[in-house]
């Protein structure tokens, strides 16, 4: 089976992890700060906090921004559930903004309209989480302008987007946001097995996230309520969690960072081949906004269902039978039973629903060969004429 996404592990990755196993520190050693520094300097951000998943990064980002009961968090319905769940973890309520029909990202016009209505109703969001779907950045400048007008904070869910650019600057530099989050799950662009990172240019937010990452405990005398009792002393000043990344993971991350640019370049080559070779089929290939250089985590096609005699499900199943491990990103979050119980209806976000009925993610990962990609395209042709 050709999967839709897959990690790439080299001998130097393996050597880097083995070296940590033979060292003094399996956790809380030098590799985590080294990985943080590598990502922060790549993105041009002043602070980076490595954690055990992007889900944890989203959680501590919300906590650092003070999200709590009575607050609202808005995000896109076409995302992984974690982009929304982080608000619920903090006791806040979650709502969604429909997607743009071309980029599949949160639609800025829909956001503005919803903000106007929310201001009248007195329930403006505290935080908006734009998700850079497939690695393509959202319209961050416009979202940032709205954030100033309506006074909300921005967490970029860039789980798909490390290595990409927005207006020629690295995604993750937080020029238009408070915090940016990356994921290093194996299907994402670089991996640490499980892992994530939160980036910010605010020392205050970085300090808060560092506390929430590790039990709310500090060893910094300046943050303590009174002088230390002795050299063993620490203080718990917040209710935090254990969201730390291990040294093994960070070593893998440092090693993978060396290949980040070549990974994204390869993804762009593959996307160009799909773009060139697929348009004869009754599908829509992903559109790229001129402001964006996508990380290209995913390559979702949309079936033109009025031009084919088979259903979305049939095409999906035929591809799987032909050995192509296609997937669907994503089931609209508001249609999940847990969210339906909050009162959301499937057609609350019609663009998201339409996208869901037509989308199929084709294989897209750095190690995919041209020959395998040809196999994917041949299978797609077969599936569409059945
Ligand atoms: C993968 C993903 C996450 C969660 O990442 P983990 O590292 O698995 O916790 C969050 N948001 C989006 C958009 C993702 O794709």
């Amino acid at each position: 089976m050709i999967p839709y996404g897959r990690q790439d592990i080299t001998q130097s990755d393996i050597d880097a992890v083995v070296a940590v196993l033979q060292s003094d520190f399996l956790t809380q050693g030098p590799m985590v700060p080294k990985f943080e520094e590598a990502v922060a300097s790549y993105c041009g951000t002043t602070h980076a906090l490595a954690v055990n998943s992007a889900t944890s990064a989203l959680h501590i980002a919300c906590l650092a921004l003070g999200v709590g009961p009575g607050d609202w968090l808005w995000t896109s319905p076409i995302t992984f559930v974690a982009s929304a769940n982080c608000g619920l973890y903090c006791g806040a309520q979650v709502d969604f903004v429909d997607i743009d029909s071309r980029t599949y990202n949160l639609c800025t016009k829909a956001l503005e309209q919803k903000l106007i209505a929310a201001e009248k109703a007195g329930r403006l969001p505290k935080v908006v989480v734009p998700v850079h779907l497939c690695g393509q950045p959202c319209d961050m400048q416009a979202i940032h302008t709205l954030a100033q007008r309506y006074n909300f904070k921005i967490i970029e869910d860039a789980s798909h987007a490390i290595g990409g650019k927005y207006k020629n600057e690295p995604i993750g530099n937080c020029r238009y946001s408070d915090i940016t989050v990356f994921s290093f799950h194996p299907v994402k662009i670089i991996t640490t097995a499980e892992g994530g990172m939160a980036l910010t240019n605010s020392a205050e937010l970085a300090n808060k996230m560092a506390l929430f990452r590790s039990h709310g405990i500090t060893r910094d005398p300046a943050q303590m309520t009174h002088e230390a009792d002795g050299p063993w002393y620490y203080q718990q000043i917040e209710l935090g969690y254990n969201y730390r990344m291990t040294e093994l993971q960070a070593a893998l991350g440092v090693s993978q960072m060396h290949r980040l640019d070549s990974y994204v370049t390869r993804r762009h080559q593959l996307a160009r081949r799909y773009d060139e070779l697929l348009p004869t089929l009754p599908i829509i290939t992903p559109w790229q906004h001129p402001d964006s250089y996508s990380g290209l985590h995913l390559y979702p096609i949309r079936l033109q269902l009025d031009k084919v005699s088979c259903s979305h499900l049939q095409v999906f199943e035929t591809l799987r039978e032909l050995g192509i491990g296609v997937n669907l990103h994503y089931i609209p979050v508001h249609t999940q039973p847990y969210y339906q119980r909050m009162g959301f209806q499937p057609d609350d976000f019609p663009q998201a629903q339409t996208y869901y009925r037509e989308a199929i993610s084709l294989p897209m990962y750095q190690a995919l060969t041209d020959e395998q990609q040809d196999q994917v395209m041949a299978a797609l042709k077969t599936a569409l004429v059945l």
Side-chain angles (χ1 to χ4, degrees):
M1 181 84 89
I2 300 175
Y4 84 85
R6 187 190 147 78
Q7 72 276 13
D8 171 57
I9 299 293
T10 63
Q11 189 59 46
S12 44
D13 290 340
I14 294 167
D15 294 344
V17 173
V18 170
V20 169
L21 280 170
Q22 292 166 334
S23 78
D24 290 337
F25 296 102
L26 300 187
T27 183
Q28 294 176 289
M31 291 314 294
V32 165
K34 196 170 169 189
F35 183 37
E36 291 172 338
E37 230 173 85
V39 177
S41 93
Y42 181 90
C43 295
T45 324
T46 45
H47 305 276
L49 289 113
V51 284
N52 58 1
S53 72
T55 304
S56 303
L58 287 163
H59 187 192
I60 61 172
C62 286
L63 290 171
L65 291 169
V67 175
D71 293 330
W72 286 89
L73 177 145
W74 292 3
T75 188
S76 164
I78 297 295
T79 185
F80 185 55
V81 291
S83 317
N85 288 346
C86 57
L88 302 181
Y89 294 157
C90 301
Q93 283 173 279
V94 168
D95 203 351
F96 301 92
V97 179
D98 208 356
I99 60 167
D100 178 273
S101 62
R102 285 220 286 181
T103 63
Y104 319 144
N105 278 332
L106 178 151
C107 170
T108 320
K109 283 238 159 58
L111 174 61
E112 182 167 19
Q113 279 160 10
K114 199 175 174 95
L115 286 165
I116 292 168
E119 186 176 46
K120 285 189 190 128
R123 41 159 277 189
L124 282 167
K126 177 145 192 171
V127 172
V128 174
V129 182
V131 180
H132 304 322
L133 195 77
C134 310
Q136 167 152 238
C138 294
D139 186 356
M140 289 310 300
Q141 199 167 27
I143 297 170
H144 182 251
T145 303
L146 290 171
Q148 289 175 314
R149 162 72 179 80
Y150 292 97
N151 198 28
F152 58 83
K153 304 290 183 188
I154 301 173
I155 302 171
E156 292 176 69
D157 185 343
S159 291
H160 300 178
I162 193 168
K165 293 190 177 84
Y166 174 66
K167 293 186 188 283
N168 269 321
E169 292 182 2
I171 293 171
N173 71 355
C174 299
R175 180 183 293 284
Y176 300 104
S177 66
D178 297 279
I179 297 168
T180 301
V181 165
F182 292 134
S183 171
F184 309 123
H185 181 278
V187 296
K188 308 290 163 74
I189 294 178
I190 63 164
T191 191
T192 61
E194 296 285 357
M197 201 174 282
L199 293 89
T200 182
N201 291 317
S202 155
E204 188 192 339
L205 290 175
N207 185 37
K208 284 185 181 164
M209 290 194 288
L211 279 173
F212 288 120
R213 166 175 70 175
S214 195
H215 309 281
I217 280 171
T218 184
R219 290 179 183 277
D220 174 10
Q223 294 192 58
M224 292 184 187
T225 54
H226 59 80
E227 225 172 90
D229 297 345
W232 64 83
Y233 197 66
Y234 57 80
Q235 272 191 355
Q236 185 193 339
I237 57 175
E238 285 284 358
L239 182 62
Y241 300 83
N242 183 351
Y243 283 167
R244 294 187 306 257
M245 176 179 274
T246 68
E247 290 286 287
L248 303 166
Q249 293 169 297
L252 181 54
V254 169
S255 183
Q256 293 252 316
M257 274 303 285
H258 297 308
R259 301 197 300 284
L260 173 56
D261 286 338
S262 65
Y263 281 172
V264 177
T265 303
R266 176 62 186 153
R267 286 169 180 272
H268 275 262
Q269 282 170 357
L270 290 165
R272 226 172 296 128
R273 287 191 87 229
Y274 275 141
D275 289 346
E276 282 164 13
L277 298 169
L278 291 178
T280 53
L281 299 178
I283 59 162
I284 298 166
T285 55
W287 181 76
Q288 301 294 321
H289 192 283
D291 284 346
S292 91
Y293 176 73
S294 174
L296 279 167
H297 164 52
L298 298 171
Y299 191 93
I301 56 163
R302 290 177 78 151
L303 305 183
Q304 292 177 297
L305 290 170
D306 52 340
K307 294 188 186 161
V308 290
S309 52
C310 43
S311 71
H312 181 233
L313 177 64
Q314 282 169 330
V315 174
F316 196 98
E317 285 180 335
T318 308
L319 284 167
R320 285 263 178 109
E321 279 160 26
L322 292 170
I324 313 301
V326 287
N327 218 315
L328 209 171
H329 301 92
Y330 288 94
I331 305 158
V333 178
H334 70 285
T335 68
Q336 295 288 358
Y338 193 84
Y339 282 84
Q340 297 250 285
R341 271 181 251 143
M342 295 170 204
F344 291 107
Q345 299 298 320
D347 52 6
D348 284 346
F349 308 101
Q351 292 292 345
Q353 272 303 86
T354 305
Y355 171 83
Y356 177 58
R357 285 194 211 101
E358 300 172 351
I360 298 178
S361 298
L362 298 184
M364 169 57 78
Y365 52 93
Q366 36 274 354
L368 186 72
T369 64
D370 286 6
E371 292 69 35
Q372 287 173 318
Q373 192 184 25
D374 291 341
Q375 236 173 292
V376 173
M377 291 190 279
L380 185 59
K381 251 174 231 168
T382 308
L384 284 168
V385 297
L386 279 181

